[in-house]
Amino acid sequence: MSAWVLPDHIADVLPSEARHIEELRRQLLDTARGYGYELVMPPLLEHLESLLSGTGEALDLQTFKLVDQLSGRSMGLRADTTPQVARIDAHLLNRDGVARLCYCGPVVHTRPDRPHATREPLQFGAEIYGHAGLEADTETLLLALDCLDAAGLRDGVIVDLADARIVRALFAGVPVDAAAIARVHAALAAKDASELQALTKDFPTASRDGLRALVGLYGDVAVLDEAAKALKGAPAVAAALADLKQLAAGLNGTAGRQISFDLADLRGYAYYSGMRFGIYVPGAADSLVRGGRYDEVGAVFGRNRPAVGFSLDVRELVGVLPARPLRAAIRAPWSDAVGLREAIAMLRKSGETVVCVLPGHGSEIDEFHCDRELVEQAGQWSVRAI
C-alpha cells in the first residue's frame, strides 16, 4: 500500500475547506460567548476510567485505546468531549452556581457513526451545569439554533424533540438485563414493531403496551396528547410530556424552524437522562446537532448536578453549506525595496492579505483571489484594482 494513502474515513482538509472550517469555528465560539459561555480545552487523551465511566457501551466501542508508556495505565483518545467537560466542572471549577462552558476540538472514532462520516470530527459543543429547570433546556436549544443561524442555516431547519425519561419509566420494574434493554432500544430506534413485539411478549402489560405504542408516537405537537392517552399511569412520563410541550412553546418564535417529536428516539450515548433533541437541516443525511439533558454525567466524578448541552461536527456543518468564494487579496511584486516592504507591512497590519509573487510564478492560482495589486507610482506604493 502506498505511504500516502490514509485510513478509511480519515481525510486531509485542503485550503478552501480548511479556511471555511476555521471561520465557522470562530463564529460558533463567538456565538456561544455572546450567551456567556466560557471556553475550555480538555486534552485529546486521558485515562480510560475518566473518559468512559458512566457513559455506556456505545462510547466504549467508539474509543481508541492505548497504553501510556509512562505509567502503564490504559488511556483513550476521546470520542466525545462531554464527559471531560463534566470532569472539569466537577473537579477543576467546582462552582456552586451555574457554569456555562463551550469547547471546539477534534474527537476520534473507531468507526464512523453514520454513512460517509469522518472518524475525526471537529466537535463543537456548549453545556450548562448547575440548573435543573427548563430555562437551561430552552437556552441550549436557542443557542444551538443561533449557531446554525450564524453559519447561514435558517430555512428548512427541523428540531426533533424526545425525552429519555419516557423509555426509562416504561422499563421500571421490568426484570431484564442490559443486553435485552439494548435490543429493545434498537428496535425502537428502527421503528421495528414486529421485533419489538417479540422482545416484549413477556413484559408486564403496562410496559409492553407502552413500549409498543412508542413506535408510532412521532410527528407534530399533537403526538404529545396521543402519548398522554397511550402512556398514562407513569408520573415520569406525564412530567416528560409536559416539559416537551413547554419547550416547544418556547421555540414558537423561531421563524423558519419546524418542531417535531419522536418519543422512541434513543440514539446517542447512554448518559442522557431527560430532554434530548436532534436538529435536521437540508442536505444532511441525519441530525446535524445532537443534545439534551444529562444530569447524571458528573456522578462518576463525585458531583452529580444538573447538566444540559449539545454538540455538532464543524466538518459536517461545512459539508451542507455552499462553498465560500476565494478570499480577496492584494498581489504585490517580490522585492527587497524598503518602501515596498513597508507598504506591504502596513496593509497586512490593517487586515489585508498581501500575496507576494515569487519570481517566475506570476500566473499561478492559489486559495486567494487577487482582485487588486500593489503598484509604484511616482515613488509611492498604492493599491489599484486589477
Side-chain angles (χ1 to χ4, degrees), residues 41-372:
M41 297 181 179
L44 183 59
L45 74 167
E46 59 178 284
H47 297 128
L48 272 180
E49 56 266 31
S50 176
L51 280 178
L52 300 180
S53 294
T55 58
E57 182 184 16
L59 191 57
D60 186 10
L61 294 175
Q62 279 284 51
T63 302
F64 277 102
K65 302 171 179 69
L66 62 154
V67 175
D68 182 6
Q69 297 300 309
L70 293 180
S71 67
R73 295 176 63 182
S74 294
M75 301 184 74
L77 293 170
R78 67 172 178 230
D80 180 38
T81 311
T82 289
Q84 295 183 298
V85 179
R87 173 181 55 75
I88 289 173
D89 173 70
H91 280 289
L92 299 181
L93 294 179
N94 199 26
R95 294 172 179 168
D96 292 331
V98 169
R100 289 180 170 91
L101 304 175
C102 64
Y103 56 86
C104 190
V107 296
V108 185
H109 294 164
T110 55
R111 61 190 67 196
D113 65 357
R114 63 189 80 182
H116 312 297
T118 177
R119 290 195 288 165
E120 191 187 8
L122 181 63
Q123 189 181 56
F124 164 80
E127 309 183 5
I128 306 177
Y129 291 87
H131 186 76
L134 286 179
E135 297 86 356
D137 301 60
T138 301
E139 180 176 299
T140 296
L141 283 160
L142 292 174
L143 173 56
L145 289 170
D146 276 354
C147 284
L148 295 181
D149 194 25
L153 290 172
R154 172 173 283 273
D155 296 332
V157 172
I158 300 173
V159 181
D160 196 57
L161 296 168
D163 198 301
R165 290 174 294 176
I166 295 174
V167 175
R168 286 190 180 189
L170 295 175
F171 268 111
V174 180
V176 291
D177 58 21
I181 292 175
R183 289 194 293 271
V184 172
H185 284 182
L188 285 170
K191 302 288 191 292
D192 191 337
S194 59
E195 175 69 4
L196 191 62
Q197 184 171 354
L199 291 170
T200 60
K201 59 183 176 63
D202 296 325
F203 282 23
T205 302
S207 296
R208 181 189 65 225
D209 293 347
L211 289 168
R212 292 178 182 178
L214 281 182
V215 173
L217 291 174
Y218 60 90
D220 60 21
V221 70
V223 165
L224 300 181
D225 293 329
E226 294 176 28
K229 296 175 183 177
L231 307 176
K232 55 189 173 185
V237 171
L241 294 175
D243 286 351
L244 289 175
K245 186 171 289 189
Q246 188 171 339
L247 283 171
L251 297 177
N252 278 341
T254 54
R257 286 81 176 256
Q258 177 183 340
I259 312 298
S260 65
F261 302 85
D262 184 353
L263 302 187
D265 185 8
L266 295 166
R267 290 174 299 171
Y269 299 128
Y271 50 62
Y272 287 110
S273 62
M275 179 277 297
R276 51 190 298 148
F277 65 91
I279 301 181
Y280 297 80
V281 303
D286 205 338
S287 54
L288 182 66
V289 182
R290 294 177 182 174
R293 181 164 284 279
Y294 31 84
D295 290 344
E296 300 160 15
V297 73
V300 69
F301 304 112
R303 196 157 190 242
N304 194 6
R305 74 191 199 122
V308 61
F310 72 91
S311 66
L312 61 87
D313 176 11
V314 183
R315 295 176 67 171
E316 185 180 14
L317 175 58
V318 166
V320 300
L321 294 171
R324 293 190 175 180
L326 297 179
R327 184 183 175 96
I330 299 169
R331 185 172 62 200
W334 179 266
S335 173
D336 292 328
V338 174
L340 174 59
R341 292 198 169 184
E342 289 177 347
I344 291 171
M346 289 182 63
L347 287 167
R348 287 172 175 164
K349 286 181 180 179
S350 70
E352 295 283 3
T353 297
V354 182
V355 180
C356 290
V357 179
L358 298 174
H361 298 272
S363 61
E364 295 178 3
I365 298 173
D366 57 21
E367 158 68 6
F368 302 97
H369 171 55
C370 294
D371 58 351
R372 292 155 294 161

